[in-house]
Amino acid sequence: MVKEISWEELKAKMERGDDFVLVEALSRRHYESSHLPGAINLPYEFVDDAEKVLPDKRAEIVVYCMNEECESSREEARELEEVGYRRVLHYAGGKQGWIKAGLPMEGRREST
């Protein structure tokens, strides 16, 4: 079962400089438009390529997508655990929760 992480916990991890990989599970187009600071893109439909993008299965990984209704990140986190990643967290609030909290984004449509 994948553990959930709140935006407050995620923001604190970023501010502390914790060693983790932030992964957006949406399409390349959505990622390029806007993404959480420092995130990489691994669209859900390419989760089979995870080992190329995330070679260290011991790394802490936080996966997110658009919002709480979006299933892509939940499914991607579950699949990452199934193939051997042991430190996977799911940020259910996604981009919309991050923006609603007034936090900055990166990408073509940056908002603060």
Side-chain angles (χ1 to χ4, degrees):
M1 181 81 178
V2 177
K3 277 183 58 181
E4 298 283 327
I5 185 171
S6 68
W7 70 262
E8 295 95 341
E9 293 168 315
L10 179 55
K11 180 176 182 275
K13 289 177 87 45
M14 291 174 165
E15 289 173 346
R16 286 191 306 263
D18 288 4
D19 188 19
F20 71 100
V21 182
L22 184 57
V23 177
E24 180 168 314
L26 296 170
S27 71
R28 164 90 30 219
R29 182 177 59 84
H30 282 98
Y31 172 81
E32 288 174 352
S33 172
S34 66
H35 53 270
L36 274 63
I40 65 168
N41 188 219
L42 179 61
Y44 172 66
E45 58 270 18
F46 298 113
V47 74
D48 291 341
D49 295 332
E51 290 182 11
K52 295 175 190 166
V53 180
L54 304 164
D56 183 0
K57 289 192 174 185
R58 296 169 306 194
E60 184 172 54
I61 300 166
V62 178
V63 184
Y64 74 92
C65 59
M66 188 60 74
N67 55 38
E68 292 194 28
E69 289 77 41
C70 181
E71 291 293 321
S72 295
S73 58
R74 188 170 281 108
E75 289 299 313
E76 185 163 314
R78 184 185 55 76
E79 288 190 30
L80 288 172
E81 280 193 336
E82 285 179 4
V83 297
Y85 293 88
R86 293 289 166 242
R87 298 174 62 209
V88 181
L89 298 168
H90 177 240
Y91 169 49
K95 288 184 187 185
Q96 290 179 353
W98 193 257
I99 292 167
K100 187 176 179 182
L103 300 168
M105 298 288 285
E106 293 178 346
R108 288 195 308 258
R109 284 190 246 162
E110 290 185 14
S111 62
T112 54

Coordinates of all heavy atoms in Angstrom, one line a residue, residues 6-42:
S6 N 1.1 14.8 2.2 CA 0.4 16.1 2.0 C 1.3 17.1 1.3 O 2.5 17.0 1.3 CB -0.1 16.6 3.3 OG 1.0 17.1 4.1
W7 N 0.6 18.2 0.8 CA 1.5 19.3 0.2 C 2.4 19.9 1.3 O 3.5 20.3 1.0 CB 0.6 20.3 -0.5 CG -0.2 21.2 0.4 CD1 -1.6 21.1 0.7 CD2 0.2 22.4 1.0 NE1 -2.0 22.1 1.5 CE2 -0.9 22.9 1.7 CE3 1.4 23.1 1.1 CZ2 -0.9 24.1 2.5 CZ3 1.5 24.2 1.9 CH2 0.3 24.7 2.6
E8 N 1.9 20.0 2.5 CA 2.7 20.5 3.6 C 4.0 19.7 3.8 O 5.1 20.2 4.0 CB 1.9 20.6 4.9 CG 0.8 21.6 4.9 CD -0.6 20.9 4.5 OE1 -0.6 19.8 4.0 OE2 -1.6 21.5 4.8
E9 N 3.8 18.4 3.8 CA 4.9 17.5 4.0 C 5.9 17.5 2.8 O 7.1 17.6 3.0 CB 4.5 16.0 4.2 CG 3.7 15.8 5.5 CD 3.0 14.5 5.5 OE1 2.3 14.1 4.5 OE2 3.1 13.8 6.6
L10 N 5.3 17.6 1.6 CA 6.1 17.7 0.4 C 6.9 19.0 0.4 O 8.1 19.0 0.1 CB 5.3 17.5 -0.8 CG 6.0 17.6 -2.2 CD1 7.1 16.6 -2.3 CD2 4.9 17.4 -3.3
K11 N 6.3 20.1 0.7 CA 6.9 21.4 0.7 C 8.1 21.4 1.7 O 9.2 21.9 1.5 CB 5.9 22.5 1.0 CG 6.5 23.9 1.1 CD 5.4 24.9 1.3 CE 5.9 26.3 1.3 NZ 6.4 26.7 2.6
A12 N 7.8 20.8 2.9 CA 8.9 20.7 3.9 C 10.1 19.9 3.4 O 11.2 20.3 3.7 CB 8.3 20.1 5.2
K13 N 9.8 18.8 2.7 CA 10.9 18.0 2.2 C 11.7 18.8 1.2 O 13.0 18.7 1.2 CB 10.3 16.8 1.4 CG 9.7 15.7 2.3 CD 9.1 14.6 1.5 CE 10.1 13.5 1.1 NZ 11.0 13.1 2.2
M14 N 11.1 19.6 0.4 CA 11.8 20.4 -0.6 C 12.6 21.5 0.1 O 13.8 21.7 -0.2 CB 10.8 21.1 -1.5 CG 10.1 20.2 -2.5 SD 8.8 21.1 -3.4 CE 8.5 20.0 -4.7
E15 N 12.0 22.1 1.1 CA 12.7 23.2 1.9 C 13.9 22.7 2.6 O 14.9 23.3 2.7 CB 11.7 23.9 2.8 CG 10.8 24.8 2.1 CD 9.7 25.4 2.9 OE1 9.5 24.9 4.1 OE2 9.0 26.3 2.5
R16 N 13.8 21.4 3.1 CA 15.0 20.8 3.9 C 16.0 20.3 2.9 O 17.1 20.1 3.3 CB 14.5 19.6 4.7 CG 13.7 20.0 5.9 CD 13.5 18.7 6.8 NE 12.9 17.6 6.1 CZ 11.6 17.3 6.1 NH1 10.8 18.1 6.8 NH2 11.1 16.2 5.5
G17 N 15.7 20.2 1.6 CA 16.6 19.7 0.7 C 16.8 18.1 0.8 O 17.8 17.6 0.5
D18 N 15.7 17.5 1.2 CA 15.7 16.0 1.3 C 16.1 15.4 0.0 O 15.7 16.0 -1.1 CB 14.3 15.5 1.8 CG 14.0 15.8 3.2 OD1 14.8 16.5 3.9 OD2 13.0 15.3 3.7
D19 N 16.7 14.2 0.0 CA 17.1 13.5 -1.2 C 15.9 12.6 -1.6 O 15.6 11.6 -1.0 CB 18.3 12.7 -0.9 CG 18.9 12.0 -2.1 OD1 18.6 12.5 -3.3 OD2 19.6 11.1 -2.0
F20 N 15.2 13.1 -2.6 CA 14.0 12.3 -3.2 C 13.8 12.7 -4.6 O 14.4 13.7 -5.1 CB 12.8 12.5 -2.4 CG 12.1 13.9 -2.5 CD1 11.0 14.0 -3.3 CD2 12.6 15.0 -1.8 CE1 10.4 15.3 -3.5 CE2 12.0 16.2 -1.9 CZ 10.9 16.4 -2.8
V21 N 13.1 11.9 -5.4 CA 12.8 12.2 -6.8 C 11.3 12.5 -6.8 O 10.4 11.7 -6.4 CB 13.1 11.0 -7.7 CG1 12.8 11.4 -9.1 CG2 14.6 10.6 -7.5
L22 N 10.9 13.6 -7.4 CA 9.5 14.0 -7.6 C 9.2 13.7 -9.0 O 9.8 14.1 -9.9 CB 9.4 15.5 -7.3 CG 8.0 16.2 -7.3 CD1 7.1 15.5 -6.4 CD2 8.1 17.6 -7.0
V23 N 8.1 12.9 -9.2 CA 7.7 12.4 -10.5 C 6.3 12.8 -10.9 O 5.4 12.5 -10.1 CB 7.8 10.9 -10.5 CG1 7.4 10.3 -11.9 CG2 9.3 10.4 -10.2
E24 N 6.1 13.5 -12.0 CA 4.8 13.8 -12.5 C 4.4 12.6 -13.5 O 5.1 12.3 -14.4 CB 4.8 15.1 -13.3 CG 3.4 15.4 -13.8 CD 3.2 16.8 -14.3 OE1 3.6 17.7 -13.6 OE2 2.6 16.9 -15.4
A25 N 3.2 12.1 -13.2 CA 2.7 10.9 -14.0 C 1.8 11.3 -15.2 O 1.2 10.5 -15.8 CB 1.9 10.0 -13.0
L26 N 1.8 12.6 -15.5 CA 1.0 13.1 -16.6 C 1.8 13.1 -17.9 O 3.0 12.9 -17.9 CB 0.4 14.5 -16.3 CG -0.5 14.6 -15.1 CD1 -0.8 16.0 -14.8 CD2 -1.8 13.8 -15.4
S27 N 1.1 13.4 -19.0 CA 1.7 13.4 -20.3 C 2.8 14.5 -20.4 O 2.9 15.4 -19.6 CB 0.7 13.7 -21.4 OG 0.3 15.0 -21.3
R28 N 3.7 14.3 -21.4 CA 4.8 15.2 -21.6 C 4.2 16.6 -21.8 O 4.8 17.6 -21.3 CB 5.6 14.8 -22.8 CG 6.5 15.8 -23.4 CD 7.9 16.0 -22.9 NE 8.7 14.9 -22.4 CZ 9.5 15.0 -21.4 NH1 9.6 16.1 -20.7 NH2 10.2 14.0 -21.0
R29 N 3.1 16.8 -22.5 CA 2.5 18.1 -22.8 C 2.1 18.7 -21.5 O 2.3 19.9 -21.3 CB 1.3 17.9 -23.8 CG 0.6 19.2 -24.1 CD -0.5 18.9 -25.1 NE -1.5 18.0 -24.6 CZ -2.6 18.4 -23.8 NH1 -2.7 19.6 -23.5 NH2 -3.4 17.5 -23.5
H30 N 1.4 18.0 -20.6 CA 1.0 18.6 -19.3 C 2.2 18.9 -18.5 O 2.2 20.0 -17.9 CB 0.2 17.5 -18.6 CG -1.2 17.5 -19.0 ND1 -1.7 16.5 -19.9 CD2 -2.3 18.2 -18.8 CE1 -3.0 16.7 -20.1 NE2 -3.4 17.7 -19.4
Y31 N 3.2 18.1 -18.5 CA 4.5 18.4 -17.8 C 5.1 19.6 -18.3 O 5.5 20.5 -17.5 CB 5.4 17.2 -17.9 CG 6.8 17.4 -17.3 CD1 7.0 17.4 -15.9 CD2 7.9 17.8 -18.1 CE1 8.2 17.6 -15.4 CE2 9.1 18.0 -17.6 CZ 9.3 17.9 -16.2 OH 10.5 18.2 -15.7
E32 N 5.3 19.8 -19.6 CA 6.0 21.0 -20.1 C 5.2 22.2 -19.9 O 5.8 23.3 -19.7 CB 6.2 20.8 -21.6 CG 7.3 19.7 -21.9 CD 7.5 19.4 -23.4 OE1 6.7 19.9 -24.2 OE2 8.5 18.7 -23.7
S33 N 3.9 22.1 -19.8 CA 3.0 23.3 -19.5 C 3.3 23.8 -18.1 O 3.5 25.0 -17.9 CB 1.5 22.9 -19.7 OG 0.7 23.9 -19.2
S34 N 3.3 22.9 -17.1 CA 3.6 23.3 -15.8 C 3.8 22.0 -14.9 O 3.2 21.0 -15.2 CB 2.4 24.1 -15.1 OG 1.3 23.3 -15.0
H35 N 4.7 22.1 -14.0 CA 5.0 21.0 -13.1 C 5.5 21.6 -11.7 O 6.0 22.7 -11.7 CB 6.0 20.0 -13.7 CG 7.2 20.6 -14.2 ND1 7.4 21.1 -15.5 CD2 8.4 20.9 -13.6 CE1 8.6 21.6 -15.6 NE2 9.2 21.5 -14.5
L36 N 5.5 20.7 -10.7 CA 6.0 21.1 -9.4 C 7.5 21.3 -9.6 O 8.2 20.6 -10.4 CB 5.7 20.1 -8.4 CG 4.3 20.2 -7.7 CD1 3.2 20.1 -8.7 CD2 4.2 19.2 -6.6
P37 N 8.1 22.2 -8.8 CA 9.5 22.5 -8.9 C 10.4 21.3 -8.7 O 10.2 20.5 -7.7 CB 9.7 23.5 -7.7 CG 8.4 24.2 -7.5 CD 7.4 23.1 -7.8
G38 N 11.3 21.1 -9.7 CA 12.2 20.0 -9.6 C 11.7 18.6 -10.1 O 12.4 17.6 -10.0
A39 N 10.4 18.6 -10.5 CA 9.9 17.3 -10.9 C 10.4 16.8 -12.2 O 10.8 17.6 -13.1 CB 8.3 17.4 -11.0
I40 N 10.5 15.5 -12.4 CA 10.8 14.9 -13.6 C 9.5 14.3 -14.2 O 8.5 14.2 -13.5 CB 11.9 13.8 -13.5 CG1 11.4 12.6 -12.7 CG2 13.2 14.4 -13.0 CD1 12.3 11.4 -12.8
N41 N 9.5 13.9 -15.5 CA 8.3 13.4 -16.1 C 8.4 11.9 -16.4 O 9.4 11.5 -17.1 CB 8.0 14.2 -17.4 CG 6.7 13.9 -18.0 OD1 6.6 13.8 -19.2 ND2 5.6 13.7 -17.3
L42 N 7.5 11.1 -15.9 CA 7.4 9.7 -16.2 C 5.9 9.5 -16.4 O 5.2 9.1 -15.5 CB 8.0 8.8 -15.2 CG 7.8 7.3 -15.4 CD1 8.6 6.9 -16.7 CD2 8.4 6.5 -14.3

